[in-house]
Amino acid sequence: MTNVTTTKVTTPVIEDRNAWRWGFTPQAEIWNGRLAMIGFLAAVLVELFSGQGFLHFWGIL
C-alpha cells in the first residue's frame, strides 16, 4: 500500500495595475497621479511659453 499525497497548485492572482477601475482602488490612484502630473506639466508649459501666470493666461486674474 502506498500513500500518495496530492497537492493542489494554484497560480497567484496578478492584478493589472494599469486597469481602469472606479472607486478608491490603487489603480484609480495611479491614474489620478498620472493625470495630475500631466495637468501640472501643462500649467508649467503655459507659463513658460506665454510669459504670464496660469491664471492671467486664462483671464481669471
Side-chain angles (χ1 to χ4, degrees), residues 43-57:
V44 169
L45 290 175
V46 164
E47 290 190 13
L48 280 175
F49 289 117
S50 71
Q52 301 175 352
F54 183 74
L55 296 176
H56 281 87
F57 179 78

Side-chain angles (χ1 to χ4, degrees), residues 9-49:
V9 177
T10 59
T11 58
V13 177
I14 299 174
E15 228 176 289
D16 185 15
R17 293 184 62 143
N18 287 323
W20 188 268
R21 303 251 169 107
W22 293 100
F24 296 105
T25 61
Q27 291 86 359
E29 293 302 317
I30 289 171
W31 278 102
N32 185 24
R34 289 174 179 166
L35 294 175
M37 287 186 276
I38 290 172
F40 183 75
L41 179 64
V44 169
L45 290 175
V46 164
E47 290 190 13
L48 280 175
F49 289 117

